[in-house]
Amino acid sequence: MKATRFEIFAQRASKEIVDRRVSSVMVFRYHNSSWYTSNSAPAPPGLVAELDVTRKRGASWRHPNSRRAFFPVADLDAVLVGDFHDSPSAATRKTVEALVGKCLESSKNKYAADYRPLTGLLNREAFDEMLRTRIAAQSKSTSSGEIGVDRLSALALVAFDIDHFKQKNDTFGHQFGDIILRSLSIRCDEIASKSSDLAQEIVFAHPGGEEFLVLVSGYDSDDAPYKFAERLRVAVCDADLPSDTDLARMELSTVDRDSVPRDPNARRVRISCGVASLAQVTQSEDPANIVALLKRRSDRALYQAKRSGRNRTVEFSKIIESHGRVLEHCKEVNTVAIDIGTEVGVQNGQEFLIYHPQYDGEQEMRMSDGRSEVVLGKYPRRVMGRLVVFDPQSDIAFCEVPSENGSGIEIPAGARLANVPLGAIGHLIPASGAPMTKIIALAGRVKLIQELNAKRSAGSATVVASIGVDKLNDLTIMRGVAHVNAILAGLYEEIVRAVGRQFAFQLSPVELAFIVAPGHDFDTLVDGLRRSATELGISVAVGYSKPPWSFLGAEAVDADAQVEQARYALAMALSDEGGSIHEFSEDTMWHTLLAARRKGDYRGGAVDYERFLSWGAKDPKFDNQAALLLIRIDRRDEALACISRAVIAERDAVKAGADTGMLAVFLANEMILNANRNLEKALSSFLEALRLDFDFKEPYATAAVEILSSASYAKLPLYEAIGSGELIGKFDAVNRAELSAGAAAWLEALDSGGSA
């Protein structure tokens, strides 16, 4: 507590005492026979003797003619050192002494208003105000687009309390209960000082009773708040609390020390933690609403930690995954109530696997001989059935037991739930023998593709196809995850029937895939699958890859690449209304880059570009899209190389394309803006644009004149303006004939060997 009061005093003194007479102040605190700054750094060795003198004197003083004076702050066992502009007189020191007293009084009031006297931690009101201030600042930073916002917006709230604290209070007395709370605050301070590797800021609060809150902010990894909570939990449960060191630091009275029980179990303390992140909270205009939501979610996570057995940490975002429990089961109406609802993300049609309380993978199997008990091992994790939600409410949900579980199943209260995510269909296909996992490992299928490609004869090909459900998001929202998983399982079984189990696999939660060996009729097979999908009530899209790939520069593409090509083709097929079949081609590649540009996913598009390039992509349209994408992430040299390749390829193929013409203009613009100002080369690029895009001669010629005759070229992003048509409209009010004539003169001079 003294440390916190000292920090408040040091902050106020630095602000209120520095004036026309005092140039700077330093404040030092005496602790454990040493002197420390407000940042807990050791005092400079050259000052220690003077600090000791000041503490012993108990009055302000200075060396003769010195501009530095020393002022004791007895209440905090501290000393303020002031550096003056001139050697301070006794009267000046008296004035500063009064200011020191004023700062001390105001720091006492601030401490009393904001901190809990028992633990020295922030109280509820002060902590809430601090949270509101942090969130308001982050919201402002986010809206203004400041650099580094991602780092700032990393903010989480940890709620924790002492397990069975009331029992300790009732058994050993409230005096010892208070000592536990004080000792816990010491442990919190120790862990905060050792956790700079996880977060920039860690602030504890003690709202009341055995409840505590922690602000964790400024972290790089999403799991940092959870790691911090676990670090705290382990630090509390792995050592006595209070420890002998804690008891010495607290300087207890004889009466308080006598209240500490000799029973070693009394000093074994456990805590449970709940974590909620700002990243999981929708931004609102009122920071107070966000604070309330964060507190409610961290409290809910803490509640689930208690229900799951205590002495553990639960993240709010993970509650739906594995922390739900059965409340009751009414067999007469086939209805099960569970303790999680829409607040944690439960939706209509959600599916859960049920684990018996004894067979959830965490319970120990023990044997007793009447004198001692031995742990033999752990009960295994065994699924006893599944549930499907039909009535989700805020804090609870009601489910039904699907008919295949049988009407005789008895689900005990406390049975643990495991959410079945979208695409987890193994438990619906008994032959797979792998609940909630991918049906077949992709690695095994890649090896099979390699073997088939190696054996294929001339004129034959191994086809890899990926299949997906049209409008899957809409279907999931309308019918729920359980319904969609059942459809995916049915579709997978149809694929198995068509090609055999060894040729079927799952690429992602929502992508099924299959291999068609050489000699089989791919078109007939796909038609059959699409008819089966219609019978299941869905429409599907199919993307596939089939060698040879004449449009790629690479001689051969490996099996991994062929699988990825099928996925790219499926993405193209799903972008068409009503479902379609799409073969991986040169169009797939440039359309993929175009889609990334339209979404603003420039870095993701760059990854696709690099992958396509490694496969030998060489299409002018691909280079066009790559250039427009790369320039957005400031990879200008690569963008210009793409443009040059596109222009040359289009010229050699004697093809005209508006995109290529536009890029040629952009190339010229880049050359002009280049430090060497190669105008002649720039005009060559304009001439190339005119040859490639005859229909757009006038606008491009106009652009050439505008750039070369005006200083505005340095301000106008031509490549964007021309692409949107804005530049063309810019010259509507200008004498276009005159500009065209000027452009023609430039081009004629260039053709005749003249110089710009």
Side-chain angles (χ1 to χ4, degrees):
M1 288 187 290
K2 274 190 175 182
T4 304
R5 283 179 55 197
F6 171 70
E7 290 160 11
I8 296 172
F9 169 78
Q11 290 170 4
R12 291 186 175 250
S14 297
K15 291 179 181 178
E16 297 179 18
I17 295 179
V18 175
D19 60 10
R20 288 177 300 172
R21 288 167 292 188
V22 183
S23 59
S24 66
V25 298
M26 299 178 287
V27 188
F28 301 91
R29 177 174 178 253
Y30 191 72
H31 178 67
N32 287 341
S33 303
S34 298
W35 289 96
Y36 297 93
T37 68
S38 57
N39 295 324
S40 299
L47 275 179
V48 170
E50 292 164 310
L51 295 174
D52 286 337
V53 168
T54 308
R55 181 170 181 263
K56 185 176 181 179
R57 280 188 178 187
S60 66
W61 68 285
R62 64 171 173 80
H63 290 292
N65 301 318
S66 173
R67 289 185 294 181
R68 171 170 288 177
F70 299 84
F71 302 85
V73 188
D75 281 8
L76 298 176
D77 211 354
V79 172
L80 183 144
V81 181
D83 288 324
F84 292 72
H85 295 292
D86 300 303
S87 180
S89 64
T92 299
R93 294 204 308 272
K94 280 287 184 185
T95 301
V96 173
E97 285 175 9
L99 288 173
V100 169
K102 184 179 177 182
C103 289
L104 181 62
E105 189 64 28
S106 64
S107 66
K108 285 181 181 178
N109 294 336
K110 176 67 174 173
Y111 179 82
D114 291 351
Y115 292 84
R116 300 275 299 183
L118 179 65
T119 57
L121 301 178
L122 283 171
N123 60 31
R124 186 188 309 276
E125 293 76 14
F127 186 74
D128 286 357
E129 179 59 32
M130 182 197 66
L131 268 181
R132 285 192 291 270
T133 302
R134 295 286 193 284
I135 291 168
Q138 290 180 15
S139 298
K140 184 177 180 181
S141 296
T142 302
S143 63
S144 64
E146 290 179 11
I147 295 173
V149 167
D150 287 344
R151 177 72 170 168
L152 288 170
S153 63
L155 184 150
L157 186 63
V158 178
F160 70 94
D161 70 13
I162 301 171
D163 295 335
H164 304 298
F165 182 69
K166 184 178 184 302
Q167 183 179 333
K168 285 192 180 291
N169 255 341
D170 294 344
T171 304
F172 303 108
H174 291 274
Q175 215 165 0
F176 179 61
D178 286 349
I179 291 173
I180 288 176
L181 294 174
R182 291 175 64 186
S183 178
L184 182 55
S185 71
I186 293 172
R187 195 71 51 89
C188 290
D189 187 53
E190 291 172 349
I191 295 303
S193 66
K194 297 175 182 177
S195 297
S196 59
D197 60 318
L198 294 177
Q200 290 178 343
E201 182 181 37
I202 295 170
V203 181
F204 284 87
H206 180 202
E210 71 271 31
E211 301 171 5
F212 293 80
L213 294 170
V214 197
L215 163 70
V216 182
S217 67
Y219 46 84
D220 292 318
S221 173
D222 289 341
D223 63 355
Y226 175 82
K227 286 182 176 179
F228 169 77
E230 274 294 279
R231 182 179 293 179
L232 174 66
R233 185 189 65 79
V234 171
V236 171
C237 73
D238 277 6
D240 286 350
L241 197 142
S243 66
D244 292 339
T245 304
D246 294 339
L247 294 172
R249 285 183 61 180
M250 284 188 276
E251 301 174 355
L252 298 174
S253 66
T254 302
V255 174
D256 285 340
R257 182 172 284 278
D258 288 343
S259 73
V260 178
R262 295 180 180 179
D263 180 358
N265 290 326
R267 292 164 70 174
R268 305 302 294 174
V269 173
R270 304 286 184 268
I271 63 173
S272 299
C273 307
V275 180
S277 168
L278 185 62
Q280 301 150 14
V281 176
T282 303
Q283 292 287 346
S284 96
E285 294 183 2
D286 186 0
N289 292 342
I290 299 177
V291 170
L293 187 58
L294 269 176
K295 292 175 72 174
R296 188 165 66 247
R297 289 185 171 182
S298 61
D299 192 57
R300 182 57 192 258
L302 173 59
Y303 167 79
Q304 294 299 144
K306 296 285 190 183
R307 278 192 58 83
S308 296
R310 294 184 169 85
N311 189 28
R312 66 192 63 214
T313 299
V314 171
E315 295 177 273
F316 178 83
S317 62
K318 303 291 178 62
I319 291 175
I320 192 173
E321 291 182 14
S322 58
H323 295 287
R325 297 276 183 165
V326 169
L327 294 172
E328 64 178 37
H329 177 203
C330 182
K331 290 177 63 178
E332 290 78 5
V333 293
N334 189 27
T335 300
V336 177
I338 63 176
D339 68 348
I340 53 177
T342 55
E343 184 185 23
V344 300
V346 176
Q347 298 177 338
N348 191 34
Q350 198 97 35
E351 186 177 8
F352 293 96
L353 297 183
I354 316 162
Y355 295 90
H356 190 281
Q358 188 171 335
Y359 287 87
D360 63 359
E362 293 192 11
Q363 308 308 313
E364 294 177 335
M365 187 175 187
R366 297 170 175 266
M367 180 173 287
S368 174
D369 60 4
R371 291 176 300 176
S372 61
E373 195 172 58
V374 179
V375 176
L376 301 178
K378 275 190 174 183
Y379 287 97
R381 201 171 191 223
R382 299 286 291 174
V383 176
M384 64 179 298
R386 67 189 186 98
L387 302 174
V388 177
V389 175
F390 68 86
D391 182 14
Q393 299 177 20
S394 177
D395 296 319
I396 60 173
F398 292 92
C399 317
E400 62 181 358
V401 182
S403 57
E404 72 268 16
N405 284 172
S407 58
I409 185 173
E410 184 76 46
I411 304 174
R416 179 167 291 186
L417 305 174
N419 177 48
V420 180
L422 182 66
I425 60 176
H427 64 292
L428 300 174
I429 305 171
S432 73
M436 295 182 67
T437 61
K438 289 184 178 180
I439 306 301
I440 296 294
L442 178 58
R445 292 301 168 257
V446 167
K447 185 177 179 182
L448 178 59
I449 296 167
Q450 289 170 337
E451 292 172 354
L452 291 171
N453 279 337
K455 294 177 182 178
R456 69 184 177 89
S457 58
S460 66
T462 301
V463 179
V464 178
S466 179
I467 186 166
V469 178
D470 276 321
K471 300 179 180 177
L472 186 66
N473 288 340
D474 294 342
L475 185 62
T476 305
I477 292 170
M478 287 189 297
R479 301 296 301 274
V481 170
H483 177 78
V484 173
N485 283 348
I487 285 176
L488 290 171
L491 186 58
Y492 177 77
E493 287 290 84
E494 291 297 329
I495 293 172
V496 168
R497 275 191 281 273
V499 301
R501 192 168 298 278
Q502 72 174 126
F503 294 107
F505 57 106
Q506 189 174 16
L507 275 173
S508 77
V510 296
E511 291 174 283
L512 302 177
F514 56 94
I515 303 164
V516 182
H520 291 74
D521 190 338
F522 173 75
D523 293 336
T524 302
L525 191 151
V526 169
D527 287 343
L529 285 175
R530 298 188 78 191
R531 283 195 300 273
S532 298
T534 302
E535 292 172 5
L536 289 171
I538 57 171
S539 172
V540 295
V542 178
Y544 69 97
S545 173
K546 180 177 69 173
W549 300 277
S550 58
F551 54 89
L552 294 177
E555 183 67 25
V557 174
D558 63 23
D560 284 302
Q562 193 173 355
V563 171
E564 286 302 311
Q565 289 171 0
R567 300 185 73 179
Y568 281 116
L570 176 61
M572 277 284 289
L574 287 170
S575 67
D576 297 331
E577 288 294 322
S580 67
I581 303 173
H582 181 80
E583 180 179 3
F584 182 80
S585 66
E586 53 194 355
D587 284 349
T588 314
M589 294 186 289
W590 73 262
H591 271 291
T592 298
L593 301 188
L594 175 60
R597 285 181 52 224
R598 286 174 173 169
K599 289 189 297 184
D601 183 17
Y602 303 113
R603 298 198 181 278
V607 171
D608 295 328
Y609 157 74
E610 289 162 1
R611 183 174 290 133
F612 296 151
L613 207 59
S614 72
W615 296 342
K618 54 182 181 179
D619 177 56
K621 289 185 178 179
F622 166 76
D623 281 322
N624 288 349
Q625 293 300 327
L628 291 169
L629 189 146
L630 292 169
I631 201 68
R632 289 286 191 169
I633 53 175
D634 206 29
R635 291 166 61 169
R636 306 178 78 81
D637 291 342
E638 292 173 86
L640 288 172
C642 287
I643 294 168
S644 298
R645 283 198 304 270
V647 171
I648 292 169
E650 291 280 31
R651 180 184 64 218
D652 292 345
V654 197
K655 290 167 63 179
D659 281 347
T660 307
M662 183 191 77
L663 287 165
V665 174
F666 171 62
L667 178 60
N669 189 35
E670 286 295 307
M671 290 172 180
I672 292 169
L673 296 179
N674 197 300
N676 63 14
R677 294 178 57 80
N678 191 337
L679 303 185
E680 185 169 329
K681 198 169 183 180
L683 279 174
S684 294
S685 187
F686 277 119
L687 181 59
E688 199 63 62
L690 293 172
R691 288 173 178 166
L692 291 169
D693 286 319
F694 184 82
D695 291 340
F696 289 88
K697 276 186 179 181
E698 186 178 347
Y700 289 138
T702 300
V705 175
E706 171 69 11
I707 289 175
L708 296 174
S709 63
S710 167
S712 66
Y713 68 80
K715 303 174 184 177
L716 184 64
L718 264 182
Y719 62 97
E720 287 186 3
I722 293 175
S724 63
E726 292 171 4
L727 186 65
I728 296 172
K730 176 179 171 68
F731 295 100
D732 283 345
V734 180
N735 186 335
R736 300 177 70 85
E738 182 180 339
L739 289 173
S740 296
W746 283 106
L747 297 174
E748 183 179 350
L750 186 66
D751 278 340
S752 63
S755 173

